Amino acid sequence: MDDTAALKKTPLHALHLQLGARMVPFAGYDMPVQYPAGVMKEHLHTRTEAGLFDVSHMGQVIVKAKSGSYEDAALALESLVPVDILGLAEGRQRYGFFTDDSGCILDDLMISHLDDHLFVVVNASCKEADLAHLQTHIGDRCDITLLNRALIALQGPRAVEVLAELWADVAAMKFMDVRHCRLHDVSCLVSRSGYSGEDGFEISIPADKAEDVTMRLLEHPDVQAIGLGARDSLRLEAGLCLYGNDIDTTTSPVEAALEWAMQKARRAGGFPGSGRILAELENGAARRRVGLKPEGKAPVRGHAKLYADPEGKAEIGEVTSGGFGPSVEGPVAMGYVPVSHAAAGTLVYAEVRGKYLPITVSALPFVTPTYKR
């Protein structure tokens, strides 16, 4: 059987083929890794103009309390995440993550307060597990609904001007605002957010209207279709985690340097793994996710082992994501090291094809975000 036949397709699959995309399997979907322009040009176009990404493979989930009360839905979800959902204002979005009983991360997600319910976006690779997790733990209190919608991301300094041609009010939105609107006479949900380090928007669209809206945006001379390759290099330069690489069920939020996502209102516990997480918030974790800048031009990829010495005798950690940063004009990486080696400027060594290459621990992100605060 042809392996590609078993892959799922997003509502924009035919459009990717029409645009000449090179398709690859990703999280069970047939997805565009790049278009004819290539990863480097796509990356730089997003940093200077506006890039359009298909992220429809991700899960879009409605969590609504059976009582009809937003407070009940928020408290139910708070039992699974160390994030303040009750205090999330209507029309606002917040980054969060499911934790397990050992204090590690099951998935990271985006959570929005919409009227009387929550709109949650989860990773494609964890979608089925996340739905089961929600149903098992809060399904008695909430209705959990997976939506059949497309999701696109319009990212870059020209994104707001482009989208404003379809909906003028978008210019008034701030980072992490979420609004219902009509684009090209289609009812959409727009958040001012994304995973590139650039100002931009994520747009949820009815599946049967996705190609119409996407084509309308791509008609703009400043907009170019962008594949998974540039999405990865953009988020890496922005110091943003990729689930399954930089965070997973072996990493705690504190180890992952995600303390900022756990509001003070949740420091009393009441979520899975709170014992470990609260202790690490108080005392620190033994290891830390850090930025890494290899010397020279050769990228250091994920899974490369890190050492304290140039002879490779004292292994101390591992690279979790790495590649060439087109905006930085050099290789960049992220990984975990002991706190004793986590200070910016610390020199460590990565094993690459039997050699031990010097890498300097660096502050994250590698590029300055341009979010509209």
Side-chain angles (χ1 to χ4, degrees):
M1 180 178 177
D2 184 356
D3 289 342
T4 60
L7 294 173
K8 297 177 184 176
K9 296 176 174 62
T10 75
L12 297 174
H13 186 268
L15 179 58
H16 298 314
L17 299 180
Q18 180 184 327
L19 295 172
R22 181 161 72 86
M23 309 297 286
V24 297
F26 183 80
Y29 285 79
D30 195 28
M31 295 292 290
V33 68
Q34 67 178 74
Y35 297 88
V39 173
M40 178 81 75
K41 288 183 178 178
E42 291 173 25
H43 177 114
L44 294 173
H45 185 91
T46 305
R47 290 271 186 251
T48 58
E49 307 287 341
L52 192 147
F53 306 75
D54 181 11
V55 288
S56 305
H57 57 309
M58 301 181 78
Q60 302 176 68
V61 183
I62 295 294
V63 177
K64 184 172 183 177
K66 295 181 186 295
S67 67
S69 161
Y70 171 76
E71 289 76 14
D72 289 345
L75 289 171
L77 192 58
E78 280 192 358
S79 70
L80 301 178
V81 299
V83 179
D84 179 14
I85 309 300
L86 191 60
L88 183 61
E90 186 172 349
R92 293 287 292 167
Q93 180 175 251
R94 183 163 280 164
Y95 174 79
F97 28 79
F98 291 130
T99 51
D100 63 18
D101 290 338
S102 65
C104 291
I105 301 171
L106 291 171
D107 193 16
D108 62 338
L109 47 145
M110 300 298 291
I111 305 160
S112 300
H113 176 181
L114 300 176
D115 191 30
D116 61 352
H117 63 276
L118 292 158
F119 174 67
V120 183
V121 178
V122 301
N123 283 302
S125 60
C126 304
K127 184 163 43 177
E128 299 306 322
D130 288 347
L131 286 169
H133 186 64
L134 287 164
Q135 195 64 53
T136 298
H137 294 285
I138 64 172
D140 58 333
R141 290 172 281 169
C142 297
D143 293 319
I144 313 298
T145 307
L146 178 65
L147 301 179
N148 177 29
R149 293 174 70 88
L151 188 67
I152 60 174
L154 184 68
Q155 303 284 291
R158 295 285 297 154
V160 65
E161 288 86 354
V162 170
L163 197 54
E165 292 187 11
L166 298 185
W167 182 50
D169 292 350
V170 73
M173 293 177 67
K174 289 184 167 55
F175 183 55
M176 291 297 203
D177 278 351
V178 185
R179 298 287 184 271
H180 288 285
C181 69
R182 296 192 74 80
L183 302 178
H184 196 36
D185 205 32
V186 175
S187 179
C188 298
L189 181 67
V190 175
S191 65
R192 195 160 194 168
S193 59
Y195 226 60
S196 65
E198 296 295 328
D199 182 24
F201 304 89
E202 291 193 332
I203 307 167
S204 176
I205 314 168
D208 62 341
K209 300 294 185 182
E211 189 167 318
D212 292 343
V213 174
T214 302
M215 282 298 298
R216 182 68 180 269
L217 291 168
L218 285 171
E219 287 170 1
H220 196 288
D222 293 338
V223 180
Q224 183 174 313
I226 311 295
L228 292 174
R231 180 174 169 83
D232 192 53
S233 58
L234 288 159
R235 69 92 193 164
L236 177 55
E237 286 186 341
L240 300 170
C241 295
L242 176 64
Y243 192 84
N245 287 44
D246 310 294
I247 50 175
D248 56 25
T249 54
T250 69
T251 52
S252 77
V254 179
E255 289 178 324
L258 296 175
E259 297 96 327
W260 58 269
M262 297 181 284
Q263 294 74 32
K264 289 182 179 179
R266 301 307 315 282
R267 302 291 171 95
F271 52 85
S274 60
R276 173 185 177 177
I277 292 170
L278 295 176
E280 289 185 347
L281 284 170
E282 181 72 22
N283 306 310
R287 62 175 186 153
R288 189 79 171 166
R289 179 176 64 93
V290 296
L292 299 164
K293 291 197 78 173
E295 292 185 9
K297 291 291 185 181
V300 175
R301 305 292 180 182
H303 303 300
K305 301 297 183 184
L306 294 170
Y307 297 84
D309 61 292
E311 292 79 30
K313 294 179 180 178
E315 184 179 331
I316 58 170
E318 185 176 85
V319 173
T320 52
S321 288
F324 186 80
S327 305
V328 178
E329 298 183 336
V332 290
M334 293 191 294
Y336 285 84
V337 296
V339 290
S340 58
H341 290 71
T346 303
L347 192 64
V348 297
Y349 299 85
E351 183 181 6
V352 180
R353 293 186 293 275
K355 297 181 178 179
Y356 300 93
L357 305 182
I359 294 186
T360 303
V361 173
S362 172
L364 291 171
F366 298 105
V367 298
T368 302
T370 60
Y371 312 131
K372 183 187 176 185
R373 300 292 184 179

